[in-house]
């Protein structure tokens, strides 16, 4: 009764976040293990013209880039019109992959500390080869075996009733700027029994994952998204009273996770978010991929006429190592390094995060909550008149104000070596900040509550996963 | 800091709910006032053939019933396919009205008690003529003056910044079984100054509204929907400690609104709701209104071939009284009396509500939370093999177990004399109940929290507004 399960789970997540190492798999052994995985899984990736794609072609009416099977995903053209923001209409390519997939992590208690089973996996777009991904990453076609083959390892824990206890099960949107209405289940289950751990899988505490998140480009985007759910909210936050963080920033995070209110109440924050959703409009229209206004279709690239932004390219992939395979596929190329930045500040003694309401064409719901700044093309914008709000705080932040700084990359199955600098910067107490209408200060508990209701976008979720309770 | 505004507002709502009468407008004077309104606003409504509609006609490709201006709403044909529930595919007419309107109530404190300004208004589909509606009911075309004319009375409090303080601002879906993706802002504002109250408007406490809700067919559906937001959630519920209800059921409601948890934690309830959303599918396809499978288009009615269910009809309306006007329009006719029923039970000492996850074609989001049973065609289903779960508890409930019982009607601007019996029935403590997969027991606080995040459907919101804290 009265939320015991939710509170016990929440406490187990936070205790795991405070466990910086573990005897189950000590981090000291991680570099050697990673090296072994890298040897076993390598991909050779080279760009090719679209005409050299094996199973992919441009289908007509309207022109779009599709797989011969009709499965996987397609790249389509989209026209966007809105009454919000500095740019009111544009055209762009977008990835259409309407299936809901599973991003699932198996967890288990060892000596009273919850560990999470992650998998070493290589994707063609990855920067450093192997990354740690959820226990299971499966599209609906995957796990329903539409393409034949065997079901993904450990998928039974997510698909067969009674095999595991669900701790978190959410439906979250992917990048709304690049995917059209793509959503995935983000699931964490508890397995209360021994089972064989296959080569390439590893049990880690959240504190260990936190150490690896500091390295950069090691814990993939999907894993970060799922782990954002480990920040408890609602009744879960009641259970944290006995916990203590080793350092001042972690202590601020824990306090903010338990604070009963913030500079605004949750009710006022809902007023603000729903008010934006009610007042603004976005209209989408399919357009042929070869006639996108402002874009050029070349032999090996669909790219913007002017800016750097992003382009659609094709790659040929050869897997070498224990398995040999070869395929080709489209990927999205972002030539610049992006920025995913979060400003935080102690206000009234409680740490607050500066959250931005974002409108992206691919999201079902107008306006989700995101980080303070998230931009692909940030390099050229610093100091420009159309620079995004608060960008200046992330250009050369004083080192003593930086609470997190690492390069993290987007999902390597769709993005070709696209990385962003993730930065958490703390403003001095009392420094006044003018808030544009689509920004609000929120406590960690308030952001986590919005996250559990599916209102935080993937950039925001990824930064939540990088908040370091051990700092 | 720390949610003062949210808590103070929440407490003011609950204190108003406990104020059963008021010197501002004593309920003793209500019958005479209502009679006067009835004399001033009367509508004569008679059914006519579609061909006799003045500004409306059947447009082709695909066939649908539209207004000549392209404004207002249209009635279209829809094919629905889903993998959930006993009926997996069907076709039906549906109302398409894509604008987001405002349902706004102005509130003000008199002698420390919050009062709400409601308006007496007649709609062609109303059963007893006049009903009390929100201060402002306006479509976007209304308040943007697309059709010319003057803006709705008091709309400045919702449209002009700084004229009022927003207490609640939410975006809620309308009936998903009859409207395609129709959503309205549900807003309550506070006005801290005198202003002239025009004829036809009345200041009432929530406790007084509660008395009028017991009469039935007096407080309209939109007002009930907005007032459901007066049930606080999240940080708001912290402020209720000092309040006491006069009777045992009201006391149970107050306790349940402050309970820290329930038989399941909020986190587990989110798992359940998102799990349903992730696992199930619904596919919609536009079909011509004159070729709906299972429907007959007659001269004056589009009706189902077999069952009673609902039909599309046309009416001619003449307004008599202070203004004279005449128009014609389509309406939806439901020949039977519906049921909107909620089971409640004390479990572990805390009152819980039996909530059903509902899937309706017109809702943006698969699965919203609704009342235990809501059906238009309930009369013929009692005891039938396809009767909805828990229907038996509402057929002849023992009077000592009934916590609310009144006839309430749907919005008279779209529905012709369609009323449902609203019932709240309390099960004895300890009586075991088997829960189908799409049902959950929740505390009032948990349901109110889902409501503030936009996850409760209009049938559920309407019953929340009828929970009587003075009982």
């Amino acid at each position: 009764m009265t939320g015991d399960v939710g509170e016990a789970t929440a406490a187990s997540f936070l205790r795991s976040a405070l466990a910086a190492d573990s005897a189950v798999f000590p981090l000291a052994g991680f570099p050697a293990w990673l090296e072994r995985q890298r040897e076993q899984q390598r991909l050779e990736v080279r760009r090719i013209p679209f005409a050299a794609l094996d199973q992919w072609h441009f289908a007509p009416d309207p022109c779009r880039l599709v797989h011969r099977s009709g499965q996987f995903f397609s790249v389509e053209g989209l026209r966007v019109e809105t009454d919000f923001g500095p740019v009111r209409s544009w055209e762009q390519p977008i990835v259409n992959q309407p299936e809901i997939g599973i991003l699932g992590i198996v967890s288990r208690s060892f000596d009273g500390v919850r560990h999470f089973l992650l998998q070493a996996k290589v994707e063609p777009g990855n920067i450093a080869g192997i990354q740690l991904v959820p226990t299971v990453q499966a599209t609906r076609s995957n796990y329903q075996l539409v393409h034949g083959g065997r079901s993904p390892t450990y998928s039974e824990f997510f698909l067969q009733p009674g095999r595991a206890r669900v701790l978190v099960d959410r439906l979250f949107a992917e990048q709304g700027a690049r995917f059209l209405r793509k959503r995935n289940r983000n699931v964490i289950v508890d397995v209360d029994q021994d089972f064989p751990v296959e080569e390439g899988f590893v049990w880690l505490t959240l504190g260990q994952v936190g150490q690896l998140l500091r390295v950069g480009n090691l814990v993939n985007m999907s894993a970060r998204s799922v782990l954002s759910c480990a920040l408890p909210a609602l009744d879960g936050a009641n259970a944290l009273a006995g916990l203590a963080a080793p350092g001042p920033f972690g202590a601020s995070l824990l306090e903010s996770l338990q604070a009963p209110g913030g500079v605004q109440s949750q009710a006022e924050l809902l007023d603000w978010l729903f008010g934006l959703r009610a007042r603004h409009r976005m209209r989408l229209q399919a357009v042929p991929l070869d006639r996108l206004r402002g874009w050029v279709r070349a032999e090996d690239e669909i790219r913007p006429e002017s800016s750097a932004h992003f382009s659609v390219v094709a790659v040929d992939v050869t897997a070498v190592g224990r398995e040999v395979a070869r395929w080709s596929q489209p990927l999205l190329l972002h030539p610049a390094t992006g920025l995913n930045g979060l400003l935080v500040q102690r206000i009234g003694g409680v740490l607050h995060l500066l959250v931005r309401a974002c409108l992206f064409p691919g999201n079902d719901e107008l306006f989700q909550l995101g980080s303070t700044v998230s931009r692909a093309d940030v390099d050229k914008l610093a100091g420009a008149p159309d620079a995004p709000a608060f960008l200046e705080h992330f250009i050369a932040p004083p080192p003593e104000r930086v609470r997190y700084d690492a390069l993290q990359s987007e999902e390597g199955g769709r993005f070709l070596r696209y990385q962003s600098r993730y930065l958490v910067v703390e403003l001095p107490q009392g420094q006044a900040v003018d808030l544009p209408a689509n920004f609000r200060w929120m406590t960690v508990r308030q952001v986590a509550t919005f996250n559990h209701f599916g209102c935080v976008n993937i950039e925001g979720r990824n930064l939540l996963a990088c908040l370091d309770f051990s700092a």
Side-chain angles (χ1 to χ4, degrees), chain A residues 367-447:
Chain A
F367 291 101
Q368 290 201 306
L369 304 181
S371 50
T372 315
V373 180
S374 64
R375 284 292 281 251
D377 52 349
V378 79
D379 293 12
K380 293 169 186 148
L381 285 170
D386 57 343
F390 305 108
L391 177 61
E392 66 276 14
H393 294 281
F394 300 98
I395 298 304
E400 73 277 12
R401 297 260 136 229
V402 173
R403 302 288 167 260
Y404 180 83
D405 185 1
L407 289 168
Q408 299 290 359
S409 48
E410 309 280 309
E411 218 275 301
R414 298 291 174 271
F415 295 92
L416 182 55
R417 296 192 200 96
Y418 174 31
Q419 64 182 353
S420 295
R421 189 175 176 191
Y422 280 40
L423 266 171
V424 178
V425 175
E426 183 168 352
L427 288 181
Q429 281 200 63
Q431 179 174 329
V433 168
D434 280 337
L435 289 196
N438 61 321
F439 286 81
R440 284 293 182 275
W441 286 110
M442 300 185 191
T443 64
V444 177
R445 184 194 185 110
Q446 291 173 330
V447 180

Side-chain angles (χ1 to χ4, degrees), chain A residues 8 26 38 47 85-86 105 125 127 155 168-169 214 245 248 254 265 296 321 343 381 384 421:
Chain A
R38 286 205 167 119
R47 285 192 42 193
I105 298 182
I127 285 172
S155 60
V168 181
D169 188 351
R214 295 209 156 256
L254 266 178
S265 69
V296 181
L343 279 186
L381 285 170
R421 189 175 176 191

Side-chain angles (χ1 to χ4, degrees), chain A residues 8-17 114 116 167-168 188 206 229-230:
Chain A
T9 300
S12 79
F13 286 157
L14 265 290
R15 273 196 303 272
S16 182
R114 187 170 297 285
F116 298 79
L167 301 181
V168 181
I188 303 175
L206 287 182
C229 303

Side-chain angles (χ1 to χ4, degrees), chain A residues 17 28 47 53 73 98 104 129 136 147 171 220 239 260 292 334 338 345 370 375 396 450:
Chain A
R47 285 192 42 193
L53 278 166
F73 62 94
V136 172
H147 317 297
L171 189 60
N220 94 330
L292 280 174
H334 291 69
Q345 188 179 33
R375 284 292 281 251
F450 276 113

